[in-house]
Amino acid sequence: QVQLVESGGGLVQAGGSLRLSCAGSGRSFMRDAMGWFRQAPGKEREFVAAINWSGGDTYYSASAEGRFTISRDTAKKMVFLQMNSLKPEDTAVYYCAAKYDSGGYYSSTHQYEFWGQGTQVTVSA
């Protein structure tokens, strides 16, 4: 069975940083794109960042661009999200996701097959 487990969430003040980690198992992920999504209470799950199968291409939401960096260590089945200059509006549960990378789009929640349980990120003012 495929499993994705997020870690690294917590409480941080506005302007601070967090690094989220996602550990995968049950699959090589070598041909998979990996993504980060987030969901705040009462809101839809939204795209944050993605990285393609080779790690050579990254994609970001407008809100994440310039502040967040996605990276991966495919051999270790790990994906990371470095989050800097955090804002209260970044508060959400952050989810790691994976999908077979056939190219195309990476920003839709419906495109991803495998999901973690999420890790809470809370940014205080």
Side-chain angles (χ1 to χ4, degrees):
Q1 63 282 3
V2 177
Q3 189 173 34
L4 296 169
V5 180
E6 303 93 338
S7 63
L11 176 64
V12 65
Q13 292 183 332
S17 298
L18 283 174
R19 184 177 68 98
L20 306 184
S21 298
C22 174
S25 62
R27 186 178 174 92
S28 74
F29 302 98
M30 290 189 297
R31 296 189 293 178
D32 290 343
M34 307 294 294
W36 286 97
F37 293 77
R38 67 187 184 188
Q39 188 168 24
K43 298 177 66 177
E44 295 276 354
R45 190 170 297 186
E46 66 177 1
F47 171 75
V48 177
I51 187 165
N52 79 329
W53 70 274
S54 70
D57 294 309
T58 57
Y59 310 86
Y60 298 96
S61 68
S63 63
E65 183 72 43
R67 299 188 299 129
F68 296 179
T69 302
I70 188 170
S71 61
R72 70 188 297 171
D73 186 335
T74 303
K76 295 181 178 179
K77 300 180 180 181
M78 297 285 294
V79 61
F80 308 95
L81 185 68
Q82 178 66 45
M83 308 166 66
N84 299 326
S85 301
L86 284 162
K87 306 173 182 179
E89 49 263 48
D90 294 318
T91 296
V93 176
Y94 282 71
Y95 297 90
C96 177
K99 74 179 190 78
Y100 178 78
D101 193 350
S102 58
Y105 305 122
Y106 299 93
S107 62
S108 174
T109 183
H110 304 294
Q111 297 168 350
Y112 289 80
E113 301 176 64
F114 310 108
W115 293 86
Q117 292 297 114
T119 186
Q120 177 70 49
V121 171
T122 302
V123 184
S124 62

